[in-house]
Amino acid sequence: MADIVLKNVYKRFGDFTAVKDLNLNVFDKEFLVLLGPSGCGKTTTLRMISGLELPSEGQIILDNEDVTQKRASRRDIAFVFQLFALYPHLSVYNNISFPLKTQGIDKKQIEVEVQKIAKLLQIDHILKKKPKQLSGGDLQRVALGRGLIRKPKAMLLDEPIGTLDAKFREEMRTELKNLHIDSGSTTVYVTHDQVEAMDMGDRIAVMNHSLLQQIGEPHEVYSNPKNLFVAQFIGSPGMNFLEMESVTSDGKVLLKFTGDGTTIILPDFLEEKINNKKELSKITWGVRPEDVEIVPEGTKNSLRGAVFVIENMGNHKIIDIKLKDGTLIRVRELPKSKLRIGDNVSITFDMKMVRLFDTESGDSIVFQE
Ligand code: ATP
């Protein structure tokens, strides 16, 4: 059971805290993605799991063993960086076999293991080449081969395909997932690319400002974001936001769009959520592009605007609607949509999919544990 547990982990560099009170449980054989913007603490977290960096506080447990103070070489973890750290003077074969040689394993066994991993990674035809003769993708496969040959308990991958071109990144994403399944290693994968995270992760741990914001399966962080940061970071295009004020009329709570004063009548389940948070007056209304509908003018609960930009994405269109106050709402439409720039339109929302946030704290008021 190679699960990895981080308990109340902190990492400080002088006065700066790069990772704050991190509690994380990576399950055996799981593919966990650490996702967040540059500088949020992803690499530092990975380096602490590997043993290249020691935590300032807290505990790291690998496979039921407390490894907090253990050096990297004693943790049975493979670490693959974005910059492929290969020995330039050694052939691919010798680069891959290096970790086994240092363990004193006999030559015949090494030959068997190298051939096996090379076949899995489809690099058996380049074993005699030197790193400088290889493409970016092959270099990355060799680096992975070197990491995997020891059959580590865990694989840590830090933006391993970030430097590859877009088409190749897509291929490598699938390969890495297959490799993870074949090798059975618990994997922690760092990226700042949310598309990559959604595509690859069994679960995604979203970080920002040194703090874990939310952890969950891709569909959970997408449809049930815990706060405004997660809501805007996940999804492409991101969630739309409207600033609202809660007002009471005839004993009913309504939301007033601050942009043009239009009031929105809420279904009971949303009204109840706001009623439970009576102290809140400023509320951010969040809705994904696929949950906005273009409707005839005068439709109940609709906001008015005009088509500002149309993006043709092939299998759908993204239509930017500019509301009266300048707020832009992005709507996902079918490719056959006849809308044109400048058309006056009205929009409504799928109320079941609307997410409400406390504007000040950013916390969701509809989040479901
Ligand atoms: P990126 O994707 O840009 O690498 P990240 O989320 O991986 O971002 P980290 O590399 O973990 O971020 O860095 C988190 C913060 O800690 C950054 O502000 C970084 O400058 C700081 N930091 C990291 N290592 C050190 C160090 N050895 N000394 C001082 N500060 C550091």
Side-chain angles (χ1 to χ4, degrees), residues 13 16 18 37-44 159:
F13 296 108
F16 179 72
S38 183
C40 70
K42 309 179 293 291
T43 296
T44 306
E159 309 241 13

Side-chain angles (χ1 to χ4, degrees), residues 161-340:
I161 54 177
T163 54
L164 306 179
D165 65 57
K167 169 99 184 64
F168 204 61
R169 268 212 309 273
E170 237 171 73
E171 277 174 32
M172 281 302 281
R173 288 212 293 253
T174 315
E175 277 188 29
L176 282 173
K177 260 314 265 214
N178 288 338
L179 205 61
H180 158 79
I181 294 163
D182 284 345
S183 70
S185 291
T186 306
T187 302
V188 185
Y189 184 99
V190 159
T191 181
H192 61 270
D193 180 344
Q194 62 89 28
V195 177
E196 207 164 284
M198 295 293 281
D199 182 34
M200 298 179 82
D202 294 326
R203 285 188 306 156
I204 302 175
V206 187
M207 291 185 75
N208 191 32
H209 294 318
S210 317
L211 282 169
L212 176 66
Q213 306 286 321
Q214 185 172 356
I215 183 163
E217 290 179 18
H219 73 95
E220 286 173 330
V221 286
Y222 182 82
S223 63
N224 186 29
K226 205 166 182 177
N227 57 37
L228 276 173
F229 175 78
V230 177
Q232 61 87 24
F233 199 74
I234 302 270
S236 175
M239 193 178 258
N240 294 297
F241 298 113
L242 290 162
E243 292 314 316
M244 301 272 185
E245 271 171 48
S246 71
V247 290
T248 310
S249 167
D250 290 337
K252 254 190 101 55
V253 180
L254 309 171
L255 284 183
K256 185 163 87 172
F257 173 44
T258 52
D260 67 4
T262 305
T263 47
I264 308 258
I265 301 162
L266 299 168
D268 291 348
F269 63 92
L270 284 183
E271 192 186 347
E272 193 183 315
K273 297 279 182 193
I274 296 175
N275 256 329
N276 292 341
K277 298 256 176 191
K278 282 216 163 56
E279 70 286 0
L280 295 183
S281 60
K282 290 194 173 145
I283 288 173
T284 302
W285 175 277
V287 64
R288 297 229 172 254
E290 60 272 28
D291 301 318
V292 184
E293 196 186 349
I294 294 173
V295 290
E297 210 182 320
T299 302
K300 196 173 125 190
N301 264 1
S302 65
L303 299 176
R304 293 171 66 187
V307 176
F308 186 58
V309 174
I310 299 175
E311 283 171 75
N312 267 306
M313 311 300 285
N315 61 354
H316 67 278
K317 284 182 179 173
I318 296 292
I319 314 240
D320 288 13
I321 310 283
K322 199 177 210 174
L323 304 182
K324 276 188 187 157
D325 70 323
T327 302
L328 278 182
I329 295 290
R330 311 193 80 190
V331 188
R332 191 184 161 113
E333 280 284 284
L334 294 172
K336 64 183 182 198
S337 162
K338 295 272 189 296
L339 285 171
R340 297 166 66 144

